[in-house]
Amino acid sequence: MRENRPLGRAIWAPVGAAVISGLVIGGLARLLMRGVALALDASTGLSLVGTVGILVVFVVLALPAAVTATARPAIMHAGRWVTAALTGLTAARTGVSDAKIIVLADDGQLMPITVLVVAFAAIVVAHGRLAQHLTRRFRALPQAPAEALRTPDARPV
């Protein structure tokens, strides 16, 4: 029999998992984007606004997987696929912004670009899985007893 868990945990576990997953995977995506730029001898500047924007997008993209982490298996897998599809489209569109550059790349640039594209695919798959794993872990954390939440008295014992 399942024990009753507070509604707050049902809400904050997926939100926290989406934030952590989005920051980790978004950070990796940002590094891979820089790697693509380096491999193509393009501009490799990292702007703070661009990086924050990418991290926020990846946090939002983790929400479908995080919210469906404890649902029935079909819904859980659908949430993971939605996250993977949206993350894949976003990473491909943002990370490889100009496909003509890749098509016209030198032979020496193709291997690093290929490795980076495969790495993008790996983080796309990992994004939803990480969000769901973290959500389940956060929901399973033991509940703090009410006594531990009270502030101690200032009187000496």
Side-chain angles (χ1 to χ4, degrees):
M1 187 158 171
R2 277 182 116 167
E3 67 180 33
N4 290 331
R5 294 217 163 103
L7 180 62
R9 184 170 297 197
I11 293 170
W12 290 110
V15 170
V19 168
I20 293 172
S21 175
L23 292 176
V24 169
I25 301 299
L28 289 173
R30 187 64 166 147
L31 291 174
L32 290 173
M33 290 173 202
R34 182 171 174 121
V36 169
L38 284 171
L40 294 172
D41 296 327
S43 171
T44 58
L46 292 175
S47 71
L48 180 62
V49 173
T51 301
V52 170
I54 288 168
L55 294 176
V56 168
V57 167
F58 275 81
V59 167
V60 171
L61 292 176
L63 284 171
V67 169
T68 59
T70 57
R72 294 180 180 190
I75 295 170
M76 179 183 71
H77 294 303
R80 192 180 310 149
W81 277 107
V82 166
T83 293
L86 294 174
T87 303
L89 290 171
T90 303
R93 193 183 85 239
T94 307
V96 184
S97 59
D98 193 1
K100 290 186 291 187
I101 294 175
I102 294 173
V103 172
L104 300 173
D106 295 334
D107 288 339
Q109 295 172 321
L110 290 179
M111 181 54 84
I113 293 169
T114 303
V115 169
L116 291 166
V117 169
V118 170
F120 268 116
I123 67 167
V124 163
V125 172
H127 194 198
R129 292 191 66 82
L130 178 61
Q132 288 184 340
H133 174 76
L134 290 173
T135 299
R136 287 190 297 270
R137 290 291 182 180
F138 291 161
R139 296 255 341 235
L141 289 174
Q143 188 174 350
E147 298 85 38
L149 298 176
R150 291 190 195 130
T151 56
D153 291 337
R155 293 179 281 154
V157 177

